[in-house]
Amino acid sequence: MFRFSFQRLRALIRKEFIQLKRDKTTLIMIIMLPVMQLMLFGYAINMDPKHLSTAVISRDNTFLTRSIVSAFEKSDYFNITHKASSDAQGKKLLQQGRVLFVITIPENFTRDVIHGNRPTLLLQADASDPVSIIGATSAMDGIYQSVAQKEFNGSLAYLQNNATPAFSIQVQKSYNPEGFTRYNIVPGLIGMVLVFTGVMMTSLALTRERERGTMENLMSMPLAPLEIMIGKIMPFIFIGMFQATLILLIANLLFEIPVFGSLSVLFVCMFLFIICNLALGFFISTIAKNQTQALQMSIFVLLPCLLLTGFMFPFDGMPLWAQALADMFPLTYFIRITRAIMLKGAGWAEILPDLWPLLILMSVITFFTVKAYKNTLD
Amino acid sequence: MTKWAIDVKNLTKHFGDRVVVNNISLQVPKGKIYGFLGPNGSGKTTTIRMLCGLLTPDHGEGTCLGYDICTQTDLIRKKVGYMTQKFSFWEDLTIRENLEFVTNIYEMDHVKQRVDEALEKLHLTHRANQLAGTLSGGWKQRLALAACILHQPEILLLDEPTAGVDPKARREFWDEINQLSNQGLTVLVSTHYMDEAERCHEIIYIAYGNIMARGTVAQVIAETKLKTFEISGADVPLLRQKFEHNSDIATMALFGENLHICGTNPTKLQKLIEAQKTLAQFQSKEIETSLEDAFIYYLNKAKEN
């Protein structure tokens, strides 16, 4: 075994960066991939759609319900296009996509309000297009306030109590209960880009070296396997971190998506996840005979990541076998962790249930990679 | 200290079911240029890779520079300069960057000074910032050699270093090899060129993974006991047809207008030629057997086994 040498390691890393600097295609991909994906997702969903078609099922026709309906319309988000007479009819309109919302006012609604029974008004939303409804569903408080201000005067002034609203609006999202939003997309996107960089670029960089014959030269030099591995991986750690930071920055500056949790916790988790992916990419390169094979194997990893890990489709909506399969991908845990940190402000304690599987997967993949890597051409 | 730079016994290597190197023993004396010859796919590259620790032999044992080739490959790597068959330095690095990289990998000090010296010796100082990939074949080989000897190895393993290089560049390359050898460096070089084989102190010829001959060029030729006759004249094409598939003729080849025929039994050969004298117009004379004839003879012999 060689003594670990920083002179050697530095030379390896430096070589990697020089090569990267001259590889314009890869360089552009590193920057454009996260930026373009974010722009696509971000702008496609950043529109704040208004005047969305809405159906009303009114079983109580009073000054109050009329006021509520008009408050809905005045919020600019809702456009009452249909009047339905039954739940079934409302459901049909929603299913057909003729309306995005169905407002149901129950019987005796006004009487219940006056008696202080605090009845509930139902707003069903078609969440399969989460993007369109996010603004609308967030307008509920405003609608209540405007109704309260206008109607709860005089003899009804006793209902003006902010602590206990006189009625509530229950938003029921159909078809996509998790309510994917642009907030949810960003953590997934970070994960996806890191998988892409880690697995695909690493495996390609290594098989390229093998294909060009330079790996044989490298192996004939006095280098420890660990030095070659670290030397190869280190630049991609930087690249991954850079890409993640880029996404966070753009998401924040352009789309005002905040990080509620601690940035340092987020970056530590990113680092662990990057190692996971690099090890996987390195592992692929030990099996793949050429760049084409490495690419094929990478896609084999990328596709289930895209489809199963909760990046695109809600995890809970998948059949159990698919969930079990997804549990084997580090990205599944990373997306949950990032969402928890970014959107819910979670700390170490809250992400622990997803952190340890990630750590186990990282150790297993790294173990097999170190085992699979040989410093000979055997 | 032993006098052998390389001393290996019974090296065998399989790839799957195929035996690539079969029971090869090799002794290369220190300070000599040792030629390693054999047809494509005969196991030369595999043998060289085993010598510098890039491949582990399935059977056999031995030492390179006194270090065990199975267990002390780390030590071997520090003292060997290995030049791969294909240019294996980084084409997307400049000449200077390549040399700097190698200097650092071997943990040498005064990196800049050493690289500058190497560049000057190569006469490449003015092109130091050119990408290695833009060099011509001959220059690539010179760069590779310079990079291989930067760390002052004790032995050079050169795998077909001059393949596809023009004669002038080849000669310059060999002048440098001779110079290095004079300084005490051991060189094991594989080649397909006969003139290069003749520049080696000793050669070894392998075919189908087996050693067929070894020694000086003269010894290797003499060992075949081949006699060669050169036939010239108007009826050479006719004779060529007649001699085909004759079991007394070991090898036959056309050199321009002249036909060379070799055989291990000179009396039979002579009889064969005499028999044609009355039927065709030609002259014949005995000439020295060439190394190429010897190699083809060995190759055919290896095929028979």
Side-chain angles (χ1 to χ4, degrees), chain B residues 58-88:
Chain B
D58 295 334
H59 303 289
E61 49 170 22
T63 59
C64 179
L65 300 169
Y67 301 117
D68 191 297
I69 59 162
C70 296
T71 58
Q72 296 179 299
T73 56
D74 292 349
L75 294 164
I76 293 175
R77 278 170 213 214
K78 283 188 179 175
K79 300 198 168 176
V80 164
Y82 170 49
M83 190 168 153
T84 52
Q85 193 168 348
K86 209 179 127 212
F87 180 70
S88 65

PDB file of all heavy atoms in Angstrom, chain B residues 58-88:
ATOM      1  N   ASP B  58      -2.121 -16.114 -13.758  1.00  0.00           N
ATOM      2  CA  ASP B  58      -2.884 -17.215 -13.181  1.00  0.00           C
ATOM      3  C   ASP B  58      -1.940 -18.229 -12.531  1.00  0.00           C
ATOM      4  O   ASP B  58      -2.233 -18.788 -11.486  1.00  0.00           O
ATOM      5  CB  ASP B  58      -3.701 -17.917 -14.277  1.00  0.00           C
ATOM      6  CG  ASP B  58      -4.757 -16.999 -14.873  1.00  0.00           C
ATOM      7  OD1 ASP B  58      -5.184 -16.080 -14.148  1.00  0.00           O
ATOM      8  OD2 ASP B  58      -5.120 -17.185 -16.042  1.00  0.00           O
ATOM      9  N   HIS B  59      -0.828 -18.470 -13.204  1.00  0.00           N
ATOM     10  CA  HIS B  59       0.201 -19.343 -12.643  1.00  0.00           C
ATOM     11  C   HIS B  59       1.538 -18.673 -12.868  1.00  0.00           C
ATOM     12  O   HIS B  59       1.654 -17.769 -13.686  1.00  0.00           O
ATOM     13  CB  HIS B  59       0.213 -20.709 -13.338  1.00  0.00           C
ATOM     14  CG  HIS B  59      -1.089 -21.408 -13.290  1.00  0.00           C
ATOM     15  ND1 HIS B  59      -1.593 -21.938 -12.126  1.00  0.00           N
ATOM     16  CD2 HIS B  59      -2.006 -21.635 -14.257  1.00  0.00           C
ATOM     17  CE1 HIS B  59      -2.779 -22.469 -12.393  1.00  0.00           C
ATOM     18  NE2 HIS B  59      -3.054 -22.298 -13.673  1.00  0.00           N
ATOM     19  N   GLY B  60       2.531 -19.195 -12.172  1.00  0.00           N
ATOM     20  CA  GLY B  60       3.874 -18.695 -12.392  1.00  0.00           C
ATOM     21  C   GLY B  60       4.246 -17.666 -11.357  1.00  0.00           C
ATOM     22  O   GLY B  60       3.426 -17.191 -10.572  1.00  0.00           O
ATOM     23  N   GLU B  61       5.530 -17.344 -11.377  1.00  0.00           N
ATOM     24  CA  GLU B  61       6.042 -16.424 -10.379  1.00  0.00           C
ATOM     25  C   GLU B  61       7.258 -15.742 -10.957  1.00  0.00           C
ATOM     26  O   GLU B  61       7.719 -16.086 -12.051  1.00  0.00           O
ATOM     27  CB  GLU B  61       6.439 -17.203  -9.124  1.00  0.00           C
ATOM     28  CG  GLU B  61       7.312 -18.408  -9.522  1.00  0.00           C
ATOM     29  CD  GLU B  61       7.940 -19.093  -8.337  1.00  0.00           C
ATOM     30  OE1 GLU B  61       7.411 -18.940  -7.223  1.00  0.00           O
ATOM     31  OE2 GLU B  61       8.970 -19.751  -8.513  1.00  0.00           O
ATOM     32  N   GLY B  62       7.758 -14.783 -10.219  1.00  0.00           N
ATOM     33  CA  GLY B  62       8.965 -14.155 -10.690  1.00  0.00           C
ATOM     34  C   GLY B  62       9.120 -12.763 -10.148  1.00  0.00           C
ATOM     35  O   GLY B  62       8.295 -12.276  -9.373  1.00  0.00           O
ATOM     36  N   THR B  63      10.194 -12.133 -10.572  1.00  0.00           N
ATOM     37  CA  THR B  63      10.489 -10.807 -10.060  1.00  0.00           C
ATOM     38  C   THR B  63      10.781  -9.853 -11.207  1.00  0.00           C
ATOM     39  O   THR B  63      11.220 -10.243 -12.285  1.00  0.00           O
ATOM     40  CB  THR B  63      11.725 -10.840  -9.133  1.00  0.00           C
ATOM     41  OG1 THR B  63      12.826 -11.345  -9.883  1.00  0.00           O
ATOM     42  CG2 THR B  63      11.495 -11.685  -7.909  1.00  0.00           C
ATOM     43  N   CYS B  64      10.489  -8.592 -10.930  1.00  0.00           N
ATOM     44  CA  CYS B  64      10.880  -7.515 -11.821  1.00  0.00           C
ATOM     45  C   CYS B  64      11.657  -6.549 -10.939  1.00  0.00           C
ATOM     46  O   CYS B  64      11.123  -6.085  -9.922  1.00  0.00           O
ATOM     47  CB  CYS B  64       9.629  -6.874 -12.421  1.00  0.00           C
ATOM     48  SG  CYS B  64       9.971  -5.498 -13.520  1.00  0.00           S
ATOM     49  N   LEU B  65      12.897  -6.307 -11.282  1.00  0.00           N
ATOM     50  CA  LEU B  65      13.795  -5.476 -10.471  1.00  0.00           C
ATOM     51  C   LEU B  65      13.912  -6.010  -9.047  1.00  0.00           C
ATOM     52  O   LEU B  65      14.086  -5.262  -8.096  1.00  0.00           O
ATOM     53  CB  LEU B  65      13.299  -4.034 -10.431  1.00  0.00           C
ATOM     54  CG  LEU B  65      13.192  -3.330 -11.788  1.00  0.00           C
ATOM     55  CD1 LEU B  65      12.448  -2.024 -11.652  1.00  0.00           C
ATOM     56  CD2 LEU B  65      14.572  -3.096 -12.383  1.00  0.00           C
ATOM     57  N   GLY B  66      13.773  -7.338  -8.911  1.00  0.00           N
ATOM     58  CA  GLY B  66      13.908  -7.947  -7.595  1.00  0.00           C
ATOM     59  C   GLY B  66      12.628  -7.947  -6.777  1.00  0.00           C
ATOM     60  O   GLY B  66      12.593  -8.490  -5.679  1.00  0.00           O
ATOM     61  N   TYR B  67      11.570  -7.339  -7.301  1.00  0.00           N
ATOM     62  CA  TYR B  67      10.302  -7.319  -6.568  1.00  0.00           C
ATOM     63  C   TYR B  67       9.353  -8.349  -7.155  1.00  0.00           C
ATOM     64  O   TYR B  67       9.278  -8.525  -8.373  1.00  0.00           O
ATOM     65  CB  TYR B  67       9.647  -5.941  -6.645  1.00  0.00           C
ATOM     66  CG  TYR B  67      10.485  -4.835  -6.094  1.00  0.00           C
ATOM     67  CD1 TYR B  67      10.923  -3.796  -6.918  1.00  0.00           C
ATOM     68  CD2 TYR B  67      10.853  -4.817  -4.745  1.00  0.00           C
ATOM     69  CE1 TYR B  67      11.697  -2.772  -6.420  1.00  0.00           C
ATOM     70  CE2 TYR B  67      11.623  -3.794  -4.239  1.00  0.00           C
ATOM     71  CZ  TYR B  67      12.054  -2.771  -5.074  1.00  0.00           C
ATOM     72  OH  TYR B  67      12.824  -1.759  -4.583  1.00  0.00           O
ATOM     73  N   ASP B  68       8.621  -9.008  -6.274  1.00  0.00           N
ATOM     74  CA  ASP B  68       7.684 -10.037  -6.704  1.00  0.00           C
ATOM     75  C   ASP B  68       6.577  -9.426  -7.557  1.00  0.00           C
ATOM     76  O   ASP B  68       5.927  -8.457  -7.163  1.00  0.00           O
ATOM     77  CB  ASP B  68       7.082 -10.702  -5.462  1.00  0.00           C
ATOM     78  CG  ASP B  68       6.319 -11.958  -5.832  1.00  0.00           C
ATOM     79  OD1 ASP B  68       5.315 -11.855  -6.564  1.00  0.00           O
ATOM     80  OD2 ASP B  68       6.751 -13.031  -5.397  1.00  0.00           O
ATOM     81  N   ILE B  69       6.335 -10.010  -8.735  1.00  0.00           N
ATOM     82  CA  ILE B  69       5.351  -9.414  -9.647  1.00  0.00           C
ATOM     83  C   ILE B  69       3.918  -9.663  -9.200  1.00  0.00           C
ATOM     84  O   ILE B  69       2.984  -9.090  -9.749  1.00  0.00           O
ATOM     85  CB  ILE B  69       5.515  -9.908 -11.105  1.00  0.00           C
ATOM     86  CG1 ILE B  69       5.365 -11.419 -11.183  1.00  0.00           C
ATOM     87  CG2 ILE B  69       6.821  -9.465 -11.710  1.00  0.00           C
ATOM     88  CD1 ILE B  69       5.077 -11.909 -12.580  1.00  0.00           C
ATOM     89  N   CYS B  70       3.730 -10.557  -8.214  1.00  0.00           N
ATOM     90  CA  CYS B  70       2.368 -10.794  -7.742  1.00  0.00           C
ATOM     91  C   CYS B  70       2.040  -9.972  -6.499  1.00  0.00           C
ATOM     92  O   CYS B  70       0.913  -9.526  -6.316  1.00  0.00           O
ATOM     93  CB  CYS B  70       2.157 -12.272  -7.430  1.00  0.00           C
ATOM     94  SG  CYS B  70       2.285 -13.310  -8.873  1.00  0.00           S
ATOM     95  N   THR B  71       3.036  -9.782  -5.646  1.00  0.00           N
ATOM     96  CA  THR B  71       2.727  -9.166  -4.350  1.00  0.00           C
ATOM     97  C   THR B  71       3.341  -7.780  -4.164  1.00  0.00           C
ATOM     98  O   THR B  71       2.909  -7.034  -3.296  1.00  0.00           O
ATOM     99  CB  THR B  71       3.222 -10.072  -3.201  1.00  0.00           C
ATOM    100  OG1 THR B  71       4.626 -10.266  -3.362  1.00  0.00           O
ATOM    101  CG2 THR B  71       2.514 -11.415  -3.238  1.00  0.00           C
ATOM    102  N   GLN B  72       4.355  -7.444  -4.953  1.00  0.00           N
ATOM    103  CA  GLN B  72       5.019  -6.162  -4.723  1.00  0.00           C
ATOM    104  C   GLN B  72       4.855  -5.207  -5.900  1.00  0.00           C
ATOM    105  O   GLN B  72       5.757  -4.441  -6.228  1.00  0.00           O
ATOM    106  CB  GLN B  72       6.502  -6.400  -4.431  1.00  0.00           C
ATOM    107  CG  GLN B  72       6.727  -7.181  -3.143  1.00  0.00           C
ATOM    108  CD  GLN B  72       8.195  -7.418  -2.885  1.00  0.00           C
ATOM    109  OE1 GLN B  72       8.877  -8.051  -3.677  1.00  0.00           O
ATOM    110  NE2 GLN B  72       8.684  -6.878  -1.777  1.00  0.00           N
ATOM    111  N   THR B  73       3.664  -5.264  -6.491  1.00  0.00           N
ATOM    112  CA  THR B  73       3.452  -4.446  -7.683  1.00  0.00           C
ATOM    113  C   THR B  73       3.565  -2.955  -7.379  1.00  0.00           C
ATOM    114  O   THR B  73       3.941  -2.170  -8.239  1.00  0.00           O
ATOM    115  CB  THR B  73       2.067  -4.735  -8.296  1.00  0.00           C
ATOM    116  OG1 THR B  73       1.091  -4.510  -7.299  1.00  0.00           O
ATOM    117  CG2 THR B  73       1.972  -6.133  -8.804  1.00  0.00           C
ATOM    118  N   ASP B  74       3.236  -2.584  -6.142  1.00  0.00           N
ATOM    119  CA  ASP B  74       3.330  -1.164  -5.784  1.00  0.00           C
ATOM    120  C   ASP B  74       4.763  -0.659  -5.914  1.00  0.00           C
ATOM    121  O   ASP B  74       5.003   0.456  -6.369  1.00  0.00           O
ATOM    122  CB  ASP B  74       2.852  -0.945  -4.350  1.00  0.00           C
ATOM    123  CG  ASP B  74       1.359  -1.200  -4.227  1.00  0.00           C
ATOM    124  OD1 ASP B  74       0.716  -1.338  -5.281  1.00  0.00           O
ATOM    125  OD2 ASP B  74       0.862  -1.262  -3.096  1.00  0.00           O
ATOM    126  N   LEU B  75       5.713  -1.504  -5.500  1.00  0.00           N
ATOM    127  CA  LEU B  75       7.120  -1.106  -5.576  1.00  0.00           C
ATOM    128  C   LEU B  75       7.603  -1.116  -7.021  1.00  0.00           C
ATOM    129  O   LEU B  75       8.387  -0.266  -7.431  1.00  0.00           O
ATOM    130  CB  LEU B  75       7.978  -2.048  -4.725  1.00  0.00           C
ATOM    131  CG  LEU B  75       7.684  -1.945  -3.225  1.00  0.00           C
ATOM    132  CD1 LEU B  75       8.258  -3.133  -2.477  1.00  0.00           C
ATOM    133  CD2 LEU B  75       8.239  -0.645  -2.670  1.00  0.00           C
ATOM    134  N   ILE B  76       7.106  -2.079  -7.771  1.00  0.00           N
ATOM    135  CA  ILE B  76       7.493  -2.158  -9.182  1.00  0.00           C
ATOM    136  C   ILE B  76       7.052  -0.899  -9.923  1.00  0.00           C
ATOM    137  O   ILE B  76       7.806  -0.302 -10.683  1.00  0.00           O
ATOM    138  CB  ILE B  76       6.871  -3.414  -9.844  1.00  0.00           C
ATOM    139  CG1 ILE B  76       7.490  -4.679  -9.236  1.00  0.00           C
ATOM    140  CG2 ILE B  76       7.095  -3.397 -11.354  1.00  0.00           C
ATOM    141  CD1 ILE B  76       6.872  -5.971  -9.712  1.00  0.00           C
ATOM    142  N   ARG B  77       5.808  -0.486  -9.657  1.00  0.00           N
ATOM    143  CA  ARG B  77       5.256   0.675 -10.365  1.00  0.00           C
ATOM    144  C   ARG B  77       6.110   1.924 -10.213  1.00  0.00           C
ATOM    145  O   ARG B  77       6.149   2.770 -11.095  1.00  0.00           O
ATOM    146  CB  ARG B  77       3.849   0.974  -9.851  1.00  0.00           C
ATOM    147  CG  ARG B  77       2.811   0.089 -10.510  1.00  0.00           C
ATOM    148  CD  ARG B  77       1.492   0.234  -9.822  1.00  0.00           C
ATOM    149  NE  ARG B  77       0.803  -1.052  -9.882  1.00  0.00           N
ATOM    150  CZ  ARG B  77      -0.515  -1.190 -10.000  1.00  0.00           C
ATOM    151  NH1 ARG B  77      -1.271  -0.145 -10.037  1.00  0.00           N
ATOM    152  NH2 ARG B  77      -1.050  -2.377 -10.060  1.00  0.00           N
ATOM    153  N   LYS B  78       6.775   2.030  -9.059  1.00  0.00           N
ATOM    154  CA  LYS B  78       7.581   3.235  -8.830  1.00  0.00           C
ATOM    155  C   LYS B  78       8.839   3.249  -9.693  1.00  0.00           C
ATOM    156  O   LYS B  78       9.396   4.302  -9.960  1.00  0.00           O
ATOM    157  CB  LYS B  78       7.992   3.313  -7.357  1.00  0.00           C
ATOM    158  CG  LYS B  78       6.861   3.771  -6.471  1.00  0.00           C
ATOM    159  CD  LYS B  78       7.327   4.042  -5.060  1.00  0.00           C
ATOM    160  CE  LYS B  78       6.152   4.525  -4.243  1.00  0.00           C
ATOM    161  NZ  LYS B  78       6.484   4.695  -2.836  1.00  0.00           N
ATOM    162  N   LYS B  79       9.312   2.067 -10.076  1.00  0.00           N
ATOM    163  CA  LYS B  79      10.609   2.007 -10.747  1.00  0.00           C
ATOM    164  C   LYS B  79      10.524   1.589 -12.201  1.00  0.00           C
ATOM    165  O   LYS B  79      11.539   1.395 -12.853  1.00  0.00           O
ATOM    166  CB  LYS B  79      11.517   1.031  -9.982  1.00  0.00           C
ATOM    167  CG  LYS B  79      11.712   1.495  -8.552  1.00  0.00           C
ATOM    168  CD  LYS B  79      12.897   0.843  -7.921  1.00  0.00           C
ATOM    169  CE  LYS B  79      13.204   1.559  -6.609  1.00  0.00           C
ATOM    170  NZ  LYS B  79      14.283   0.919  -5.887  1.00  0.00           N
ATOM    171  N   VAL B  80       9.292   1.414 -12.676  1.00  0.00           N
ATOM    172  CA  VAL B  80       9.118   0.991 -14.060  1.00  0.00           C
ATOM    173  C   VAL B  80       8.603   2.160 -14.885  1.00  0.00           C
ATOM    174  O   VAL B  80       7.797   2.949 -14.418  1.00  0.00           O
ATOM    175  CB  VAL B  80       8.099  -0.176 -14.126  1.00  0.00           C
ATOM    176  CG1 VAL B  80       7.605  -0.377 -15.538  1.00  0.00           C
ATOM    177  CG2 VAL B  80       8.742  -1.441 -13.618  1.00  0.00           C
ATOM    178  N   GLY B  81       9.111   2.277 -16.080  1.00  0.00           N
ATOM    179  CA  GLY B  81       8.509   3.207 -17.026  1.00  0.00           C
ATOM    180  C   GLY B  81       7.785   2.383 -18.066  1.00  0.00           C
ATOM    181  O   GLY B  81       8.411   1.630 -18.806  1.00  0.00           O
ATOM    182  N   TYR B  82       6.471   2.469 -18.082  1.00  0.00           N
ATOM    183  CA  TYR B  82       5.685   1.624 -18.978  1.00  0.00           C
ATOM    184  C   TYR B  82       5.044   2.489 -20.051  1.00  0.00           C
ATOM    185  O   TYR B  82       4.336   3.434 -19.754  1.00  0.00           O
ATOM    186  CB  TYR B  82       4.626   0.877 -18.172  1.00  0.00           C
ATOM    187  CG  TYR B  82       3.583   0.151 -19.003  1.00  0.00           C
ATOM    188  CD1 TYR B  82       3.962  -0.673 -20.058  1.00  0.00           C
ATOM    189  CD2 TYR B  82       2.233   0.269 -18.713  1.00  0.00           C
ATOM    190  CE1 TYR B  82       3.017  -1.337 -20.809  1.00  0.00           C
ATOM    191  CE2 TYR B  82       1.274  -0.404 -19.457  1.00  0.00           C
ATOM    192  CZ  TYR B  82       1.675  -1.208 -20.511  1.00  0.00           C
ATOM    193  OH  TYR B  82       0.733  -1.867 -21.247  1.00  0.00           O
ATOM    194  N   MET B  83       5.336   2.169 -21.282  1.00  0.00           N
ATOM    195  CA  MET B  83       4.749   2.910 -22.383  1.00  0.00           C
ATOM    196  C   MET B  83       3.769   2.003 -23.103  1.00  0.00           C
ATOM    197  O   MET B  83       4.144   0.966 -23.644  1.00  0.00           O
ATOM    198  CB  MET B  83       5.862   3.358 -23.325  1.00  0.00           C
ATOM    199  CG  MET B  83       5.411   4.321 -24.375  1.00  0.00           C
ATOM    200  SD  MET B  83       6.869   5.021 -25.169  1.00  0.00           S
ATOM    201  CE  MET B  83       6.182   5.416 -26.744  1.00  0.00           C
ATOM    202  N   THR B  84       2.503   2.406 -23.082  1.00  0.00           N
ATOM    203  CA  THR B  84       1.461   1.557 -23.653  1.00  0.00           C
ATOM    204  C   THR B  84       1.513   1.603 -25.179  1.00  0.00           C
ATOM    205  O   THR B  84       2.069   2.518 -25.775  1.00  0.00           O
ATOM    206  CB  THR B  84       0.076   2.032 -23.206  1.00  0.00           C
ATOM    207  OG1 THR B  84      -0.030   3.424 -23.489  1.00  0.00           O
ATOM    208  CG2 THR B  84      -0.131   1.806 -21.738  1.00  0.00           C
ATOM    209  N   GLN B  85       0.891   0.599 -25.772  1.00  0.00           N
ATOM    210  CA  GLN B  85       0.877   0.477 -27.222  1.00  0.00           C
ATOM    211  C   GLN B  85       0.195   1.683 -27.859  1.00  0.00           C
ATOM    212  O   GLN B  85       0.698   2.273 -28.798  1.00  0.00           O
ATOM    213  CB  GLN B  85       0.116  -0.804 -27.565  1.00  0.00           C
ATOM    214  CG  GLN B  85       0.275  -1.228 -28.988  1.00  0.00           C
ATOM    215  CD  GLN B  85      -0.241  -2.638 -29.177  1.00  0.00           C
ATOM    216  OE1 GLN B  85      -0.504  -3.364 -28.223  1.00  0.00           O
ATOM    217  NE2 GLN B  85      -0.379  -3.041 -30.406  1.00  0.00           N
ATOM    218  N   LYS B  86      -0.968   2.020 -27.291  1.00  0.00           N
ATOM    219  CA  LYS B  86      -1.698   3.182 -27.793  1.00  0.00           C
ATOM    220  C   LYS B  86      -1.260   4.384 -26.963  1.00  0.00           C
ATOM    221  O   LYS B  86      -0.996   4.235 -25.779  1.00  0.00           O
ATOM    222  CB  LYS B  86      -3.205   2.927 -27.585  1.00  0.00           C
ATOM    223  CG  LYS B  86      -4.088   3.615 -28.589  1.00  0.00           C
ATOM    224  CD  LYS B  86      -5.552   3.279 -28.289  1.00  0.00           C
ATOM    225  CE  LYS B  86      -6.342   4.555 -28.167  1.00  0.00           C
ATOM    226  NZ  LYS B  86      -7.447   4.474 -27.231  1.00  0.00           N
ATOM    227  N   PHE B  87      -1.181   5.554 -27.565  1.00  0.00           N
ATOM    228  CA  PHE B  87      -0.822   6.761 -26.826  1.00  0.00           C
ATOM    229  C   PHE B  87      -1.783   6.923 -25.653  1.00  0.00           C
ATOM    230  O   PHE B  87      -2.994   7.035 -25.848  1.00  0.00           O
ATOM    231  CB  PHE B  87      -0.919   7.980 -27.741  1.00  0.00           C
ATOM    232  CG  PHE B  87      -0.560   9.273 -27.066  1.00  0.00           C
ATOM    233  CD1 PHE B  87       0.751   9.538 -26.705  1.00  0.00           C
ATOM    234  CD2 PHE B  87      -1.532  10.216 -26.790  1.00  0.00           C
ATOM    235  CE1 PHE B  87       1.088  10.725 -26.080  1.00  0.00           C
ATOM    236  CE2 PHE B  87      -1.203  11.410 -26.164  1.00  0.00           C
ATOM    237  CZ  PHE B  87       0.107  11.657 -25.811  1.00  0.00           C
ATOM    238  N   SER B  88      -1.250   6.889 -24.440  1.00  0.00           N
ATOM    239  CA  SER B  88      -2.166   6.864 -23.300  1.00  0.00           C
ATOM    240  C   SER B  88      -1.947   8.039 -22.359  1.00  0.00           C
ATOM    241  O   SER B  88      -2.225   7.953 -21.176  1.00  0.00           O
ATOM    242  CB  SER B  88      -2.022   5.548 -22.556  1.00  0.00           C
ATOM    243  OG  SER B  88      -0.735   5.466 -22.006  1.00  0.00           O
TER     244      SER B  88
END
